[in-house]
Amino acid sequence: MSQVNVEKNNAMQPAGKKSEQSPYLLLFIILVLAAVATWIIPAGKFDHEIRNGVTFAIKGSLHEVARTGVYPGEIFMAIVQGVIKAAPIIFLILFTGGLLAVIEATGAIATALNSLSRSTKISDTRLILIFAVIFAVLGSTGVVQNSVVAFVPIGLLVARSLGLPPVIGMALIYLTCAAGFNVAFLGPATTGLTQHLAQLPLFSGMLLRGITNLLFVLTVAIYLIITVKRMRKNGQVRADITVESAEPLAITGRHKLILLTCAVTLILFMVGTVQLHWATNEMSAMFIILSIMVGLIGRLSGSAIANTFLSGCSQLVKGGFIVGMAGAISVVLQQGNILDPIVGFLSDLLAPVPPAIAAVGMFVSAALMHFGISSGSGESALLIPIFSPLGDNLGLTRQVTVQTVLLGEGIVNSISPTSGVLMAALATANISFGKWLKFVAPVVAIWFAICVVTLLIGVAINWGPF
């Protein structure tokens, strides 16, 4: 595991130099522009009503109110208020990093994958399916996100052992994980955050979202199987490869118990979410409990568990606080009473458009914005306060609105040059961005079609709740 982490750290540094644009800077510029806009756009407000605990704007009720422009000093106060308002989600994101760090410290995941990668009794198809299942689960639950870079060397090892090019090894890890993460129907920092902002029950609407997730994963698995078979048929595979094995890593009963504990805890939380309406706070508490349990099973000392957990939290501070930064924009728009006029303007603009087309348009706009704001959680915090009332006015359910943002972010993750994680993974695999883009283009095209169909179905069935 330490060897993998060293490779990860070495890869991350050059990648960071290639992608200097900070999402914080972009969000701060938007924040300042939003404050300026409060002095230009006429102030207004919708009347609101509460249905089943969810606040909805009443269509056609927009009326003018006194201008309340935001002063420069209030911009920085808005940042503080945005962080405070997003505290439950921020801590959930941090605790996700803490849990992952403790799991990684036990070596359970790395050992299991290394053991699998050195097996010589598995066919190409079966190996691809196994990796697809493992990393799709890790991605869709948010367990492996930025840390996927650490596992890329394992994929490269598998590719070398089979005589396949590095791009296949990269895809075995990164693309299969992205297939799960891009929909992330159980991801707390993506789906959980976006639904929280839209006032939806945590992980509601799981059936359609789960089917979409499955289709994403199947697309990658089938594409890799066909590609590898074509390579073998065309003689693009080297047969004279000998892999120098590092020290063998045997998976132990302790490792299996750790993985089983994580799986059982995840199932328990899903049951709690449906039956007991557990939400963000319960998930954060469960992550703390699971971190302690995993650490004890892995024979880590109390101090080691605490220090590792805090170290993992620190790795996601940037991603956590960007939610607060994006939330500050919403605070400024609301303080200046221009959020509702913006929503009203967009509603009038899109009023002649059928709801299905409007949903696809929101999805495309979220995708385009993700090239500039590489943080999915930050983009959700920025867009949902605008998209939620906009969707309400256009006749879209909140569940559909949430999905337009989630899929818009997800579809771009595997092709965005502003993604530090993607650039780091490519640096680790020594693959050019152009070569990678050419390789994944068919997959992304199919994903795009799946996204559009999912949204059209969501609109057609009035996907709920709300």
Side-chain angles (χ1 to χ4, degrees):
M1 189 66 187
S2 59
Q3 182 179 358
V4 173
N5 285 333
V6 169
E7 292 184 48
K8 171 187 175 183
N9 293 333
N10 290 339
M12 288 294 286
Q13 291 177 4
K17 294 178 182 178
K18 294 179 183 177
S19 181
E20 293 292 344
Q21 183 185 21
S22 170
Y24 279 98
L25 175 60
L26 180 58
L27 289 174
F28 184 74
I29 292 173
I30 296 175
L31 178 63
V32 173
L33 292 176
V36 173
T38 62
W39 296 96
I40 300 173
I41 299 175
K45 276 190 173 184
F46 282 110
D47 292 328
H48 295 83
E49 63 180 354
I50 298 178
R51 302 197 299 267
N52 296 320
V54 179
T55 303
F56 293 89
I58 300 176
K59 188 176 181 179
S61 66
L62 182 64
H63 57 277
E64 189 175 345
V65 298
R67 184 185 299 279
T68 53
V70 174
Y71 291 94
E74 293 177 310
I75 294 176
F76 298 96
M77 285 297 297
I79 296 176
V80 177
Q81 294 172 32
V83 172
I84 293 174
K85 186 177 180 180
I89 291 295
I90 290 175
F91 280 105
L92 176 59
I93 293 173
L94 298 183
F95 291 169
T96 300
L99 171 61
L100 176 59
V102 174
I103 295 175
E104 286 183 333
T106 66
I109 295 178
T111 302
L113 290 174
N114 270 283
S115 177
L116 176 64
S117 69
R118 286 172 168 77
S119 175
T120 59
K121 301 178 181 179
I122 302 178
S123 66
D124 292 343
T125 298
R126 186 175 299 178
L127 187 68
I128 290 171
L129 290 175
I130 291 174
F131 269 83
V133 170
I134 292 175
F135 279 94
V137 170
L138 294 175
S140 63
T141 56
V143 173
V144 171
Q145 186 176 338
N146 297 335
S147 60
V148 68
V149 181
F151 299 104
V152 169
I154 296 176
L156 298 177
L157 173 65
V158 173
R160 284 187 59 206
S161 66
L162 298 175
L164 297 169
V167 70
I168 297 296
M170 165 84 172
L172 273 176
I173 304 296
Y174 184 88
L175 204 55
T176 55
C177 182
F181 180 75
N182 291 349
V183 181
F185 75 111
L186 286 176
T190 50
T191 302
L193 165 66
T194 311
Q195 289 187 318
H196 173 80
L197 294 171
Q199 296 182 288
L200 286 172
L202 187 64
F203 300 139
S204 56
M206 287 176 60
L207 179 59
L208 182 56
R209 193 169 286 111
I211 293 173
T212 306
N213 205 333
L214 178 61
L215 291 175
F216 266 51
V217 176
L218 287 175
T219 299
V220 173
I222 294 172
Y223 178 71
L224 289 178
I225 291 171
I226 293 174
T227 301
V228 170
K229 284 185 177 180
R230 185 177 67 247
M231 287 180 172
R232 293 201 181 280
K233 182 178 179 181
N234 296 339
Q236 296 175 267
V237 179
R238 294 177 60 187
D240 58 341
I241 296 295
T242 57
V243 179
E244 295 181 7
S245 177
E247 52 190 82
L249 299 174
I251 186 167
T252 65
R254 192 177 301 277
H255 292 144
K256 294 178 182 178
L257 181 58
I258 289 172
L259 298 176
L260 178 62
T261 301
C262 292
V264 170
T265 303
L266 177 62
I267 293 172
L268 287 176
F269 181 79
M270 291 172 60
V271 173
T273 300
V274 175
Q275 299 294 330
L276 304 175
H277 306 292
W278 287 357
T280 306
N281 292 341
E282 287 80 4
M283 179 169 255
S284 295
M286 183 160 284
F287 280 1
I288 298 174
I289 295 171
L290 183 57
S291 298
I292 296 173
M293 293 173 60
V294 167
L296 292 177
I297 296 173
R299 290 184 174 178
L300 300 179
S301 67
S303 295
I305 295 174
N307 292 334
T308 303
F309 183 84
L310 292 175
S311 177
C313 290
S314 69
Q315 298 300 315
L316 291 187
V317 167
K318 180 180 178 181
F321 278 95
I322 204 170
V323 177
M325 186 70 176
I329 299 172
S330 176
V331 170
V332 165
L333 295 177
Q334 290 173 343
Q335 285 181 347
N337 289 317
I338 65 170
L339 178 59
D340 287 355
I342 291 174
V343 171
F345 171 76
L346 294 174
S347 298
D348 293 340
L349 191 65
L350 296 174
V353 178
I357 302 302
V360 174
M362 292 164 69
F363 154 65
V364 173
S365 63
L368 293 175
M369 184 168 291
H370 199 55
F371 282 101
I373 303 176
S374 58
S375 167
S377 54
E379 185 178 346
S380 293
L382 175 63
L383 289 183
I384 286 298
I386 298 174
F387 274 21
S388 289
L390 176 60
D392 295 343
N393 282 343
L394 295 176
L396 301 175
T397 65
R398 289 284 175 95
Q399 204 68 252
V400 171
T401 299
V402 161
Q403 198 66 1
T404 65
V405 176
L406 288 174
L407 293 179
E409 298 166 356
I411 200 73
V412 170
N413 281 329
S414 299
I415 57 173
S416 175
T418 61
S419 170
V421 177
L422 174 59
M423 293 297 104
L426 291 176
T428 302
N430 195 26
I431 299 171
S432 68
F433 178 74
K435 183 176 182 179
W436 173 254
L437 193 61
K438 182 179 179 181
F439 179 81
V440 301
V443 173
V444 175
I446 296 173
W447 282 351
F448 184 89
I450 292 172
C451 291
V452 171
V453 171
T454 296
L455 293 175
L456 295 179
I457 292 174
V459 174
I461 66 175
N462 205 32
W463 187 22
F466 314 119

